[in-house]
Amino acid sequence: MPEVADDTKTATVRPTQEVDVVIVGAGVAGLYMLYKVRELGLVACVLEAGDGVGGTWYWNRYPGARCDVESLQYSYQFSDELQQEWEWSERYAGQAEILRYVNHVADRFDLRRDVHFSTRVESAIFDETSSRWLVATDRGDRVVSRFCVMATGCLSSSNLPPFRGRDDFEGESYHTGRWPHEGVDFTGKHVGVIGTGSSAVQSIPIIAGQAAEVTVFQRTPNFSVPARNRPMDPEVQAEVKASYTELRRRAAETAPIILLDRNDASALDATPAQREAEFEKRWQHGGFAFLGAYIDLSLEPEANDAAAGFVRRKIREIVDDPETAEVLCPDSTIGCKRLCLDTHYYETFNKEHVRLVDIRRSGIDEITPRGVRANGTEDPVDCIVYATGFDAMTGALMAIDIRGRGGAALRDSWSAGPRTYLGLGTVGFPNLFTITGPGSPSVLANMIPAIEQHVNWVADCIRWLEEEGVPTIEPKIEAQDDWVEHVNEVASATLLLNCNSWYLGANVPGKPRVFMPYVGGFPAYSKKCNEVAANRYEGFALGVASA
């Protein structure tokens, strides 16, 4: 693999810089957006808070961090040369390998020279007189641009709950979403882990393999199935590369843009023995294919109960202590929170030095100078790992002072929950695009193909506006209202509203409870986007304020 370039050698932003497109974020979305803007012959700059490319894979370096979509599908498809030349080493790539991949893409397409690192965007203000966005950074830079593309990521704003006494802790504290780049040595330490979501499920087995003691504080148990990760089979990789075009086409015809061997039969039409055999087959195979066992797992409570019951039985078989096993068993709908994929997560609780504390009734009482108090009892620890997830989908956008027509703040426009048209734009904010924003499939799909679809749509839109001489574009209020209603209606027809999940923002105190991603599936969504564009951007106001 090529060496990662030294990002500190890139040019700095001029005090006032004028470009055609300003892109916020240098992750998978921001880099591809830059690539497409260059194809249009336009000038762009990317503003990135970190000192390197990679987005979520730059920040999330916690032990065991790994993608839950198989490597051969979690990758760019815009360049067949790139698909053919890159060799993946595992079925599910780890953080370090994915970061090497993104750096390779940045270098291969010479993208780094237009990315300005260690530059956090503080505000983006639309100037109605010039129809330009004025973007300001924490370094005092000013960038003027016709278009502003927010490639800030769906899972990029870490959620650190305001536990009482949190700042009084005298030991070391870490958040899985902002892990030290140099790593952490837990040898001989007593580590307290708060949270049992995806990052905890991945990191706890690794931490337990190093630390002297591990105490896990669990508020809500999550369903997890084995990933069955393994080294990449060279023959499998060669077969996929030989038929990538067809495989990508087939994946795009599925709701999550992932080939999962989905079963179109109903669980209700199968006998209990048949269901057990189907679930067992998929449990042994590993990965999200488990949720593809039957077509109605997310629609019919009885079908979902069958799948959930299977996983609970597995937990009870794996975990030796019956009381611990019961605490680890979720009593919720499987799939209404993102399913976790693990490597020996439940087995970790059989280790003598690993203990589970159930805090579902009262939560964390407080963080003390010496440890964590829960259920009225203090657990002294040397280190605390906050595996408390993200302010998903809107957190990074809300951290920026974004103001549209009339000085209206996006924070105010979204105070009751995000409202967009297709997840691409919002009323009152001309020429502002959000990549995989709320109201699009985003986190319910394979993120890289979802990102590519969004970026391609935005690039085509910019090209069309240039050719037609249209100065601005923004959603019409009626189109936005109709789309938000549709997103809610589709979600209500499923079981996905049964959980207090981060899909709803329920993990962030005070955040409005709105189901943010579009659950109608990628094929229906992409068809709608294509129809809107083909009809001269139907539902968008062109060159004038929204009706």
Side-chain angles (χ1 to χ4, degrees):
M1 301 296 178
E3 293 295 320
V4 174
D6 182 359
D7 294 330
T8 61
K9 295 179 181 178
T10 60
T12 58
V13 180
R14 295 187 295 274
T16 300
Q17 183 177 0
E18 294 190 10
V19 296
D20 298 304
V21 184
V22 62
I23 302 163
V24 183
V28 171
L31 292 179
Y32 183 49
M33 191 73 242
L34 173 59
Y35 175 87
K36 292 297 290 184
V37 170
R38 284 187 186 171
E39 275 194 337
L40 297 175
L42 300 178
V43 176
C45 75
V46 181
L47 305 176
E48 167 57 47
D51 61 11
V53 301
T56 188
W57 301 110
Y58 169 89
W59 296 107
N60 285 268
R61 300 170 185 241
Y62 60 85
R66 187 173 301 281
C67 188
D68 55 11
V69 177
E70 295 191 30
S71 308
L72 290 168
Q73 298 192 56
Y74 187 83
S75 55
Y76 287 115
Q77 56 186 301
F78 70 89
S79 166
D80 190 55
E81 292 80 4
L82 175 63
Q83 291 189 129
Q84 296 300 323
E85 71 193 16
W86 186 264
E87 297 286 322
W88 294 102
S89 68
E90 295 180 275
R91 180 186 181 188
Y92 295 96
Q95 174 270 332
E97 183 170 17
I98 298 173
L99 187 59
R100 287 196 300 272
Y101 171 71
V102 179
N103 272 280
H104 170 72
V105 172
D107 292 333
R108 192 191 192 289
F109 298 100
D110 190 26
L111 301 175
R112 207 178 299 271
R113 60 183 164 88
D114 288 322
V115 182
H116 307 290
F117 296 98
S118 302
T119 304
R120 185 174 294 278
V121 172
E122 293 186 331
S123 65
I125 313 296
F126 183 71
D127 179 67
E128 294 185 60
T129 302
S130 63
S131 294
R132 294 293 185 271
W133 282 93
L134 311 178
V135 179
T137 76
D138 60 350
R139 301 192 321 181
D141 307 311
R142 298 291 183 269
V143 181
V144 179
S145 179
R146 181 179 172 196
F147 299 100
C148 183
V149 179
M150 292 293 174
T152 47
C154 297
L155 299 173
S156 57
S157 181
S158 298
N159 174 45
L160 186 57
F163 296 126
R164 184 157 60 95
R166 191 185 69 197
D167 296 334
D168 298 331
F169 182 61
E170 295 174 354
E172 296 295 322
S173 298
Y174 310 96
H175 191 285
T176 50
R178 289 293 184 268
W179 203 259
H181 290 193
E182 65 274 13
V184 180
D185 184 2
F186 289 118
T187 302
K189 300 292 181 68
H190 183 176
V191 182
V193 181
I194 299 177
T196 51
S198 183
S199 60
V201 164
Q202 290 184 332
S203 63
I204 285 170
I206 309 298
I207 293 172
Q210 188 177 68
E213 283 187 77
V214 177
T215 302
V216 178
F217 298 88
Q218 174 186 271
R219 182 182 63 180
T220 307
N222 283 286
F223 285 103
S224 186
V225 302
R228 308 293 184 197
N229 190 36
R230 55 181 177 265
M232 179 64 68
D233 184 332
E235 292 186 6
V236 170
Q237 185 155 220
E239 289 173 3
V240 169
K241 287 186 175 185
S243 54
Y244 245 141
T245 300
E246 174 62 15
L247 292 175
R248 298 289 198 183
R249 184 194 63 77
R250 286 170 47 207
E253 294 174 351
T254 70
I257 333 178
I258 305 173
L259 294 175
L260 290 175
D261 183 26
R262 299 182 72 86
N263 181 4
D264 290 334
S266 167
L268 305 184
D269 292 336
T271 66
Q274 289 171 332
R275 288 197 296 262
E276 192 78 5
E278 185 68 23
F279 291 141
E280 180 65 32
K281 179 183 74 172
R282 289 168 184 270
W283 178 273
Q284 294 303 327
H285 177 77
F288 285 141
F290 184 84
L291 291 179
Y294 293 99
I295 196 169
D296 50 0
L297 294 189
S298 66
L299 301 172
E300 295 292 342
E302 185 179 344
N304 192 278
D305 288 345
F310 176 89
V311 176
R312 293 187 194 104
R313 289 193 294 277
K314 284 293 185 181
I315 296 171
R316 294 176 183 124
E317 289 175 8
I318 294 169
V319 180
D320 295 336
D321 177 57
E323 184 176 342
T324 300
E326 288 309 309
V327 173
L328 287 168
C329 283
D331 59 4
S332 57
T333 300
I334 188 168
C336 65
K337 289 187 174 182
R338 190 175 182 90
L339 184 68
C340 298
L341 307 188
D342 72 83
T343 299
H344 306 308
Y345 171 65
Y346 293 118
E347 291 88 341
T348 301
F349 291 94
N350 293 331
K351 298 178 182 293
E352 291 186 0
H353 68 295
V354 178
R355 186 167 66 94
L356 181 66
V357 177
D358 182 4
I359 60 170
R360 75 177 71 192
R361 290 187 178 179
S362 58
I364 298 291
D365 298 337
E366 64 176 330
I367 306 298
T368 70
R370 297 177 59 245
V372 180
R373 184 183 300 279
N375 302 326
T377 301
E378 181 184 30
D379 280 284
V381 296
D382 301 311
C383 312
I384 298 177
V385 173
Y386 292 98
T388 49
F390 301 91
D391 184 351
M393 301 194 70
T394 60
L397 292 169
M398 295 297 92
I400 301 170
D401 183 13
I402 302 173
R403 295 181 181 271
R405 292 190 185 276
L410 187 66
R411 292 168 184 160
D412 294 335
S413 297
W414 287 7
S415 61
R419 300 184 69 82
T420 74
Y421 184 38
L422 303 173
L424 287 160
T426 192
V427 170
F429 296 82
N431 293 2
L432 177 74
F433 298 104
T434 51
I435 304 301
T436 61
S440 73
S442 58
V443 293
L444 294 181
N446 184 351
M447 283 302 300
I448 295 186
I451 283 168
E452 285 184 306
Q453 183 268 339
H454 256 208
V455 169
N456 290 338
W457 192 96
V458 171
D460 289 343
C461 180
I462 291 174
R463 176 189 290 111
W464 186 86
L465 295 171
E466 289 280 294
E467 292 173 350
E468 296 291 322
V470 177
T472 60
I473 185 171
E474 62 181 292
K476 294 179 179 179
I477 186 66
E478 60 270 21
Q480 178 171 286
D481 288 348
D482 287 347
W483 183 251
V484 171
E485 182 180 354
H486 174 63
V487 170
N488 292 333
E489 181 181 6
V490 174
S492 297
T494 73
L495 303 177
L496 295 183
L497 301 183
N498 288 8
C499 295
N500 286 323
S501 68
W502 56 258
Y503 296 147
L504 285 158
N507 62 317
V508 179
K511 188 169 182 176
R513 299 296 188 264
V514 176
F515 194 83
M516 293 179 284
Y518 176 63
V519 76
F522 181 76
Y525 174 80
S526 59
K527 180 182 178 183
K528 172 66 174 178
C529 289
N530 292 340
E531 289 174 349
V532 165
N535 293 327
R536 297 179 63 85
Y537 297 92
E538 182 180 25
F540 285 90
L542 304 174
V544 295
S546 297

